Amino acid sequence: MVEVGEVQKPALSDLLERLTLGVSTSLEKRLGVCDVSLNGGNPAERHQIVAWEQRNACILPEDLKNFYLTTDGLLLTWSVLLEDNKFPVGRMEINPFSNLVKISSSASTATITNTPSFADIESCSSDEDDSEDSESDNDENTHTKKRTIKPHFDGRSRIFELENCQGHGKVCLVYLNTSPGLPAHKPEIWFLDRSLMWHFLSKDFTSYYRLMLMHLGLPQWHFALTDIGLSLQAQQWFNMYAPVRLKLDQQYLLGTDLEETKQDDKDFTNTPSCKIDFARLFKGKLAEKPKPKQLQPPTPSKKKGQPSFSSATSTKSTVSSRIGRSTKPWT
């Protein structure tokens, strides 16, 4: 992995910036965010990808293949400054091509959990998986992309690690329903938690990559798309930096149709508002508007030395009229 900095060519730095859709620049403008670091690597060679496909009997999807031909892995991290202390928060990572290794029942599970092993889980859950598979064939409801056909650690599936998620689980490239001796096609992206339970994330690598960018790599963001949900601490980070994304994820888990939500918001917006009669609402609380006094016609003749009140009366009436109009700020 090569860190983006002065040692790198500007072309590679610009390439990684475009590859992440400007997320790093956007994060630098957010309140409290610091130490935004974008790491990339030299592109993988095409012959390395061909050798990997032959060795694992799997056809790498075009989107993931093009990703590795552009950069050998990706790592974007950022921290938050709170009371002069820096806390590492965000992490978006795709393993280098050399770390795209296969996970099987013979693999070590020390990085996930101490007990049980893959073999124990596979033997105990084989009957349950078979019953779920038969029920899913007749299930016509495909809403929220929840899958009942889950990966297997035996020869029925071929599983490769895309990200280690800092020990919270593993993001895996999964080839379902493979046949011995035949190359596997069309993998999906699944999340394997510490209890060795599978959670479907996306149908292809491009969709998963977009989810990673939209969640800003916030802590444990993969759990936002599972039935487990986020921890209270993770929810606090989401409320600070991605509240809209948190709401969408909650709607996803509840099975709320986004189109129905938009229609509900539209209906609420189009609801006629209630017009308030402020004069009636505040009756008796506002000062009553004083009635202007009628001007008296000038006296044709007046005795010398007798004071005239017409001008004074006119001025007082005008002032009272202005004061009366100022008691209604909504006019």
Side-chain angles (χ1 to χ4, degrees):
M1 305 295 287
V2 182
E3 184 175 0
V4 176
E6 296 180 357
V7 298
Q8 271 191 309
K9 296 181 180 180
L12 181 56
S13 177
D14 296 340
L15 175 63
L16 293 175
E17 182 69 15
R18 293 196 303 269
L19 193 63
T20 55
L21 305 180
V23 171
S24 59
T25 303
S26 176
L27 285 170
E28 292 175 350
K29 300 178 181 179
R30 291 174 179 258
L31 182 64
V33 175
C34 61
D35 294 344
V36 179
S37 176
L38 177 59
N39 300 337
N42 296 323
E45 300 292 338
R46 190 171 294 273
H47 67 84
Q48 295 177 332
I49 296 179
V50 173
W52 184 93
E53 292 177 333
Q54 294 177 350
R55 181 172 60 255
N56 295 284
C58 296
I59 304 300
L60 208 63
E62 288 297 323
D63 52 1
L64 184 56
K65 186 183 300 183
N66 292 332
F67 173 82
Y68 280 121
L69 291 175
T70 304
T71 176
D72 187 16
L74 183 72
L75 177 61
L76 194 159
T77 59
W78 54 279
S79 303
V80 173
L81 183 63
L82 295 176
E83 297 181 352
D84 298 331
N85 295 320
K86 294 181 180 180
F87 297 90
V89 176
R91 185 181 182 89
M92 310 178 208
E93 184 178 12
I94 301 295
N95 283 347
F97 185 71
S98 59
N99 292 345
L100 189 62
V101 295
K102 186 176 182 179
I103 300 176
S104 62
S105 59
S106 59
S108 174
T109 61
T111 58
I112 299 181
T113 183
N114 293 329
T115 55
S117 66
F118 282 158
D120 294 334
I121 292 293
E122 195 66 36
S123 61
C124 294
S125 61
S126 58
D127 296 337
E128 297 178 359
D129 291 339
D130 293 339
S131 61
E132 289 180 353
D133 294 349
S134 61
E135 292 177 359
S136 63
D137 294 338
N138 298 326
D139 187 8
E140 297 180 357
N141 184 15
T142 58
H143 185 62
T144 69
K145 301 180 182 179
K146 292 184 178 180
R147 304 297 180 87
T148 55
I149 302 178
K150 298 181 179 181
H152 299 271
F153 293 115
D154 55 15
R156 288 174 287 179
S157 302
R158 297 169 193 173
I159 308 168
F160 303 89
E161 180 184 331
L162 274 178
E163 181 188 354
N164 191 20
C165 303
Q166 295 183 294
H168 298 296
K170 289 182 182 293
V171 176
C172 300
L173 182 72
V174 179
Y175 293 83
L176 295 170
N177 300 323
T178 61
S179 300
L182 296 177
H185 299 267
K186 298 180 179 180
E188 298 177 345
I189 309 299
W190 288 73
F191 177 66
L192 178 66
D193 63 23
R194 289 178 59 87
S195 64
L196 302 183
M197 296 296 295
W198 288 104
H199 309 276
F200 175 78
L201 293 182
S202 65
K203 296 180 62 176
D204 49 50
F205 173 75
T206 301
S207 300
Y208 169 75
Y209 187 79
R210 292 173 178 172
L211 285 173
M212 180 182 67
L213 294 180
M214 288 188 293
H215 286 83
L216 303 177
L218 287 166
Q220 306 174 16
W221 70 266
H222 305 90
F223 288 99
L225 304 176
T226 68
D227 296 334
I228 300 175
L230 295 169
S231 64
L232 294 178
Q233 183 179 7
Q235 289 183 23
Q236 292 178 352
W237 290 119
F238 267 81
N239 287 325
M240 291 178 62
Y241 293 102
V244 176
R245 188 68 248 177
L246 178 61
K247 182 178 180 180
L248 292 175
D249 291 340
Q250 291 173 348
Q251 292 175 350
Y252 172 88
L253 293 178
L254 295 175
T256 304
D257 192 350
L258 296 182
E259 294 298 330
E260 295 179 358
T261 304
K262 293 179 180 179
Q263 184 64 33
D264 293 340
D265 295 339
K266 183 178 180 181
D267 295 339
F268 177 79
T269 305
N270 294 334
T271 302
S273 59
C274 180
K275 296 183 179 180
I276 301 175
D277 187 354
F278 290 96
R280 185 176 181 181
L281 179 64
F282 298 107
K283 185 177 181 180
K285 296 183 181 180
L286 294 177
E288 295 183 357
K289 181 178 179 180
K291 297 181 180 180
K293 295 182 179 180
Q294 296 181 356
L295 297 178
Q296 298 294 333
T299 305
S301 63
K302 60 180 178 179
K303 295 181 181 181
K304 186 178 180 180
Q306 183 178 357
S308 177
F309 298 95
S310 60
S311 59
T313 305
S314 176
T315 304
K316 183 177 180 180
S317 176
T318 304
V319 172
S320 300
S321 178
R322 291 177 180 175
I323 294 176
R325 285 200 300 267
S326 64
T327 57
K328 292 186 178 180
W330 54 87
T331 58

